[in-house]
Amino acid sequence: NSVQLDHALYPDSPVFQWLVNLQAAQTNAPPENLPDRPKVASTDPYTLEYPVDIGVYLPEDAHWQNAWAITEALLLQFHDVVGLANVPFAAFIIPDRRAVHEADWQATLDEYGDLLPDLRDADPTAPASRLENFLRDSHIPVLNLTPAFLQWTYAHPDGRLYYPVDGHFTPDGHAVTADAIAAWLHDMGVLNAS
């Protein structure tokens, strides 16, 4: 149901033209086929049984298989579009705060572990690792920030890279991210030391 894009709006933008063509090639949206969970616990206010993003840690159902397939296809398409402009394509992965701060993962288990027993066996670093493996298998340079973040949290047990409630970076999170990406780009020969 997005607004129809017009080729003439940005004729010199390859990305915009790609989006216009992609939109034109789409079929009508299929009827909703929502997964059984998370269930709607309340409609006023609208509340789910558990946050949608926790589903990525549960055993993969058809909904998540489809979500991963779409994500992977979009990354490959993005890679191809960038390649048309002769621009190198690479990715860096920002893990969820639950994969970095043990207290955040434990709080999730405390709140939803009884409702979702499979969550107790989950690895909070698995989604980032899965994405990293897909990108490497697709020969796309990738930096998974999880190891750098974990190294920092071990060295700063009282520090935070993410705010505990909304998951955005703290100033330290921004700094660690910038340092890790700069070092990675330098190691890849993209940046010169100066």
Short mmCIF file of all heavy atoms in Angstrom, two decimals, residues 114-139:
data_model
loop_
_atom_site.label_atom_id
_atom_site.label_comp_id
_atom_site.label_asym_id
_atom_site.label_seq_id
_atom_site.Cartn_x
_atom_site.Cartn_y
_atom_site.Cartn_z
N ASP A 114 9.22 -18.75 31.17
CA ASP A 114 8.16 -19.70 31.51
C ASP A 114 7.14 -19.81 30.38
O ASP A 114 6.63 -20.89 30.09
CB ASP A 114 7.46 -19.30 32.81
CG ASP A 114 8.38 -19.45 34.02
OD1 ASP A 114 9.36 -20.23 33.94
OD2 ASP A 114 8.12 -18.78 35.04
N LEU A 115 6.86 -18.69 29.73
CA LEU A 115 5.92 -18.67 28.62
C LEU A 115 6.51 -19.34 27.38
O LEU A 115 5.81 -20.02 26.64
CB LEU A 115 5.55 -17.21 28.28
CG LEU A 115 4.65 -16.98 27.08
CD1 LEU A 115 3.25 -17.57 27.33
CD2 LEU A 115 4.56 -15.50 26.77
N LEU A 116 7.82 -19.17 27.19
CA LEU A 116 8.53 -19.66 26.01
C LEU A 116 9.71 -20.52 26.45
O LEU A 116 10.86 -20.07 26.43
CB LEU A 116 9.03 -18.49 25.17
CG LEU A 116 8.00 -17.43 24.79
CD1 LEU A 116 8.68 -16.18 24.26
CD2 LEU A 116 7.04 -17.99 23.76
N PRO A 117 9.47 -21.77 26.84
CA PRO A 117 10.56 -22.60 27.38
C PRO A 117 11.74 -22.76 26.42
O PRO A 117 12.88 -22.90 26.86
CB PRO A 117 9.90 -23.95 27.67
CG PRO A 117 8.44 -23.69 27.66
CD PRO A 117 8.20 -22.46 26.87
N ASP A 118 11.48 -22.74 25.10
CA ASP A 118 12.58 -22.87 24.14
C ASP A 118 13.58 -21.73 24.24
O ASP A 118 14.74 -21.87 23.82
CB ASP A 118 12.03 -22.93 22.70
CG ASP A 118 11.27 -24.21 22.42
OD1 ASP A 118 11.61 -25.24 23.03
OD2 ASP A 118 10.34 -24.18 21.60
N LEU A 119 13.15 -20.63 24.79
CA LEU A 119 14.02 -19.47 24.91
C LEU A 119 15.20 -19.77 25.83
O LEU A 119 16.30 -19.26 25.63
CB LEU A 119 13.21 -18.29 25.45
CG LEU A 119 13.78 -16.89 25.31
CD1 LEU A 119 14.02 -16.55 23.84
CD2 LEU A 119 12.84 -15.88 25.94
N ARG A 120 14.99 -20.63 26.81
CA ARG A 120 16.06 -20.94 27.78
C ARG A 120 17.23 -21.67 27.13
O ARG A 120 18.35 -21.61 27.64
CB ARG A 120 15.49 -21.76 28.94
CG ARG A 120 14.44 -20.98 29.73
CD ARG A 120 14.26 -21.52 31.13
NE ARG A 120 13.29 -20.73 31.86
CZ ARG A 120 13.56 -19.59 32.50
NH1 ARG A 120 14.77 -19.12 32.50
NH2 ARG A 120 12.61 -18.93 33.14
N ASP A 121 16.99 -22.35 26.00
CA ASP A 121 18.06 -23.05 25.29
C ASP A 121 18.66 -22.22 24.16
O ASP A 121 19.55 -22.69 23.46
CB ASP A 121 17.52 -24.36 24.71
CG ASP A 121 17.06 -25.32 25.79
OD1 ASP A 121 17.68 -25.33 26.88
OD2 ASP A 121 16.07 -26.04 25.55
N ALA A 122 18.15 -21.01 23.97
CA ALA A 122 18.58 -20.19 22.84
C ALA A 122 19.94 -19.54 23.11
O ALA A 122 20.34 -19.33 24.24
CB ALA A 122 17.54 -19.12 22.55
N ASP A 123 20.62 -19.24 22.02
CA ASP A 123 21.90 -18.53 22.06
C ASP A 123 21.64 -17.11 21.57
O ASP A 123 21.29 -16.92 20.40
CB ASP A 123 22.90 -19.24 21.15
CG ASP A 123 24.23 -18.51 21.04
OD1 ASP A 123 24.40 -17.44 21.67
OD2 ASP A 123 25.10 -19.00 20.30
N PRO A 124 21.81 -16.10 22.42
CA PRO A 124 21.49 -14.74 21.98
C PRO A 124 22.42 -14.21 20.89
O PRO A 124 22.11 -13.22 20.25
CB PRO A 124 21.61 -13.91 23.27
CG PRO A 124 22.46 -14.71 24.17
CD PRO A 124 22.23 -16.15 23.81
N THR A 125 23.56 -14.88 20.66
CA THR A 125 24.45 -14.44 19.59
C THR A 125 24.14 -15.13 18.26
O THR A 125 24.72 -14.78 17.23
CB THR A 125 25.93 -14.71 19.95
OG1 THR A 125 26.15 -16.13 20.02
CG2 THR A 125 26.31 -14.05 21.26
N ALA A 126 23.21 -16.08 18.25
CA ALA A 126 22.95 -16.88 17.05
C ALA A 126 22.44 -16.07 15.86
O ALA A 126 22.89 -16.31 14.73
CB ALA A 126 21.98 -18.02 17.38
N PRO A 127 21.52 -15.11 16.02
CA PRO A 127 21.06 -14.37 14.83
C PRO A 127 22.20 -13.63 14.11
O PRO A 127 22.29 -13.67 12.89
CB PRO A 127 20.02 -13.41 15.39
CG PRO A 127 19.51 -14.08 16.63
CD PRO A 127 20.72 -14.76 17.20
N ALA A 128 23.07 -12.97 14.87
CA ALA A 128 24.19 -12.25 14.24
C ALA A 128 25.15 -13.23 13.58
O ALA A 128 25.65 -12.97 12.47
CB ALA A 128 24.92 -11.39 15.27
N SER A 129 25.39 -14.37 14.21
CA SER A 129 26.28 -15.37 13.62
C SER A 129 25.69 -15.95 12.34
O SER A 129 26.40 -16.16 11.36
CB SER A 129 26.54 -16.51 14.62
OG SER A 129 27.23 -16.03 15.74
N ARG A 130 24.38 -16.18 12.35
CA ARG A 130 23.73 -16.70 11.15
C ARG A 130 23.88 -15.72 9.99
O ARG A 130 24.21 -16.10 8.87
CB ARG A 130 22.26 -16.97 11.43
CG ARG A 130 21.51 -17.43 10.19
CD ARG A 130 20.04 -17.62 10.44
NE ARG A 130 19.38 -17.99 9.22
CZ ARG A 130 18.32 -18.75 9.14
NH1 ARG A 130 17.80 -19.26 10.24
NH2 ARG A 130 17.77 -19.03 7.99
N LEU A 131 23.64 -14.45 10.27
CA LEU A 131 23.75 -13.44 9.22
C LEU A 131 25.19 -13.32 8.74
O LEU A 131 25.45 -13.21 7.53
CB LEU A 131 23.24 -12.10 9.75
CG LEU A 131 23.12 -10.97 8.74
CD1 LEU A 131 22.25 -11.37 7.55
CD2 LEU A 131 22.55 -9.74 9.42
N GLU A 132 26.13 -13.36 9.66
CA GLU A 132 27.54 -13.30 9.28
C GLU A 132 27.90 -14.47 8.36
O GLU A 132 28.56 -14.28 7.33
CB GLU A 132 28.43 -13.33 10.52
CG GLU A 132 29.91 -13.32 10.22
CD GLU A 132 30.78 -13.43 11.47
OE1 GLU A 132 30.26 -13.81 12.54
OE2 GLU A 132 31.98 -13.13 11.36
N ASN A 133 27.47 -15.68 8.70
CA ASN A 133 27.77 -16.84 7.86
C ASN A 133 27.15 -16.71 6.47
O ASN A 133 27.78 -17.06 5.47
CB ASN A 133 27.29 -18.12 8.54
CG ASN A 133 28.10 -18.46 9.77
OD1 ASN A 133 29.27 -18.07 9.89
ND2 ASN A 133 27.51 -19.16 10.71
N PHE A 134 25.92 -16.21 6.41
CA PHE A 134 25.27 -16.03 5.11
C PHE A 134 26.08 -15.05 4.25
O PHE A 134 26.32 -15.31 3.06
CB PHE A 134 23.84 -15.52 5.28
CG PHE A 134 23.24 -15.04 4.00
CD1 PHE A 134 22.77 -15.96 3.06
CD2 PHE A 134 23.17 -13.69 3.70
CE1 PHE A 134 22.25 -15.53 1.85
CE2 PHE A 134 22.65 -13.25 2.50
CZ PHE A 134 22.18 -14.18 1.57
N LEU A 135 26.49 -13.93 4.83
CA LEU A 135 27.23 -12.94 4.06
C LEU A 135 28.58 -13.48 3.62
O LEU A 135 29.00 -13.29 2.47
CB LEU A 135 27.39 -11.66 4.88
CG LEU A 135 26.09 -10.88 5.11
CD1 LEU A 135 26.27 -9.86 6.23
CD2 LEU A 135 25.61 -10.22 3.84
N ARG A 136 29.28 -14.19 4.50
CA ARG A 136 30.57 -14.79 4.13
C ARG A 136 30.38 -15.82 3.01
O ARG A 136 31.15 -15.84 2.05
CB ARG A 136 31.23 -15.44 5.33
CG ARG A 136 31.81 -14.45 6.31
CD ARG A 136 32.75 -15.12 7.31
NE ARG A 136 33.03 -14.28 8.43
CZ ARG A 136 33.82 -13.21 8.41
NH1 ARG A 136 34.38 -12.85 7.29
NH2 ARG A 136 34.01 -12.50 9.50
N ASP A 137 29.35 -16.66 3.14
CA ASP A 137 29.08 -17.66 2.10
C ASP A 137 28.73 -17.01 0.77
O ASP A 137 28.91 -17.60 -0.30
CB ASP A 137 27.95 -18.61 2.52
CG ASP A 137 28.36 -19.53 3.66
OD1 ASP A 137 29.57 -19.63 3.96
OD2 ASP A 137 27.46 -20.14 4.27
N SER A 138 28.21 -15.78 0.83
CA SER A 138 27.85 -15.02 -0.37
C SER A 138 29.01 -14.14 -0.85
O SER A 138 28.84 -13.32 -1.75
CB SER A 138 26.62 -14.15 -0.09
OG SER A 138 25.53 -14.94 0.30
N HIS A 139 30.18 -14.31 -0.23
CA HIS A 139 31.40 -13.57 -0.59
C HIS A 139 31.23 -12.07 -0.44
O HIS A 139 31.73 -11.28 -1.24
CB HIS A 139 31.85 -13.94 -2.01
CG HIS A 139 31.97 -15.41 -2.22
ND1 HIS A 139 32.97 -16.17 -1.66
CD2 HIS A 139 31.16 -16.28 -2.90
CE1 HIS A 139 32.79 -17.43 -1.99
NE2 HIS A 139 31.71 -17.53 -2.73
#
